[in-house]
């Protein structure tokens, strides 16, 4: 779910409360509940809505296929750690979404708009991400100078309790072998390498992801209320999606805006 959940029960046990919070509930309340306690709990849950929505949405967007379940399991094992993680996969397959799942609420998330900030050794991104995450998108695009400066800054990761998470659609190991990427930096970035499957490798997830993308666009008032029919969802599932999730979301917005009726069919 993409909203906070408060579990209430008249048959509460410690085990039930622990399980509820483990799977994502904000709080567990045992009946009868005092009005002030209920209001305070709901108020606290609403304050955390923004922080929780990003992570919850990212988890939902992974899908339910075997490939998605495997990916979700891998990411879950990396929560709460400080070891660097490199998400690798095709462009548009959701590398940043996966990285966002590892972000703890109310902690820094540092993501430079471009790598020019690493041209000067004095711009310390690791220091900015102290007790949080430094996320670098497409690290294969780093120049030799930027690679060298990042390697120097990475020496402070442990002392500052900063976690380095990066993504790449390039074959970084091959770049290292060819001398195009710093082997020392690669050894740090690739503390754990998680391969993110392409959308065509989990085609059974496409109908659910399409409906989710459409619902989000409708809720954000970006498009009018629409719904896919079964034939349209089958057509989406059978397409090979070379642009992965980015292409899927673009198609969803396009057809939702241009479809004349409320039902989106195969022709649309």
């Amino acid at each position: 779910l993409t909203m906070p959940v408060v579990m209430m029960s008249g048959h509460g046990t410690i085990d039930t409360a622990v399980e509820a919070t483990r799977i994502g509930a904000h709080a567990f309340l045992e009946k009868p509940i005092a009005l002030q306690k209920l209001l305070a709990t709901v108020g606290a849950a609403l304050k955390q809505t923004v922080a929780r929505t990003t992570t919850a949405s990212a988890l939902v967007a992974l899908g339910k296929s075997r490939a998605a379940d495997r990916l979700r399991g891998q990411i879950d094992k990396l929560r709460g750690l400080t070891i660097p993680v490199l998400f690798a996969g095709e462009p548009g397959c959701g590398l940043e979404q996966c990285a966002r799942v590892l972000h703890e609420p109310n902690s820094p998330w540092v993501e430079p708009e471009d790598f020019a900030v690493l041209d000067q050794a004095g711009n310390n991104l690791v220091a900015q991400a102290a007790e949080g995450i430094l996320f670098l998108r497409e690290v294969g695009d780093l120049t030799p100078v930027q690679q060298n400066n990042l390697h120097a800054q990475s020496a402070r990761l442990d002392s500052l309790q900063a976690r380095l998470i990066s993504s790449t659609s390039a074959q970084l190991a091959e770049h290292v072998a060819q001398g195009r990427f710093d082997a020392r930096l690669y050894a740090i970035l690739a503390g754990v390498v998680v391969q993110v499957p392409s959308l065509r490798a989990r085609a059974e997830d496409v109908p659910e992801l399409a409906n989710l993308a459409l619902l989000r666009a409708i809720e954000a008032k970006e498009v009018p209320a629409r719904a896919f029919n079964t034939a349209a969802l089958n057509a989406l599932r059978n397409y090979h999606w070379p642009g992965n999730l980015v292409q899927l979301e673009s198609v969803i917005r396009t057809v939702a805006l241009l479809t004349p009726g409320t039902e989106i069919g195969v022709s649309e």
Side-chain angles (χ1 to χ4, degrees), residues 22 24 44 50 56 81 116 150 154 166 181 202 209 226 232 242 247 268:
R22 186 190 70 79
V50 175
L81 305 179
L150 179 59
S154 66
S166 53
F181 198 88
R202 50 193 187 101
L209 295 177
R226 298 281 188 266
Q247 183 186 13
E268 283 78 30

Side-chain angles (χ1 to χ4, degrees), residues 63-184:
K64 296 180 180 177
S65 65
R66 181 176 298 179
D69 281 342
R70 181 171 180 270
L71 176 61
R72 186 183 291 104
Q74 291 175 335
I75 295 175
D76 222 31
K77 291 177 181 177
L78 298 173
R79 285 172 177 266
L81 305 179
T82 58
I83 187 171
V85 180
L86 175 64
F87 288 101
E90 296 180 4
C93 67
L95 303 181
E96 183 175 347
Q97 280 182 324
C98 294
R100 288 278 183 182
V101 177
L102 297 177
H103 181 222
E104 296 293 334
N106 305 314
S107 66
W109 172 275
V110 177
E111 180 182 349
E113 292 184 7
D114 59 59
F115 293 140
V117 68
L118 284 167
D119 287 333
Q120 301 297 325
N123 295 327
N124 199 314
L125 293 176
V126 172
Q128 295 176 34
E131 299 184 3
I133 286 177
L134 170 58
F135 177 69
L136 301 175
R137 186 190 295 111
E138 289 297 339
V139 287
D141 294 339
L142 287 165
T143 67
V145 170
Q146 293 165 351
Q147 292 174 36
N148 187 64
N149 287 336
L150 179 59
H151 177 263
Q153 293 181 26
S154 66
R156 300 185 64 193
L157 284 170
D158 289 339
S159 63
L160 293 171
Q161 295 183 309
R163 188 175 195 180
L164 180 55
I165 298 181
S166 53
S167 70
T168 183
S169 56
Q171 299 295 325
L172 274 193
E174 292 182 10
H175 288 192
V176 171
Q178 297 164 2
R180 295 162 53 194
F181 198 88
D182 191 321
R184 302 168 304 162

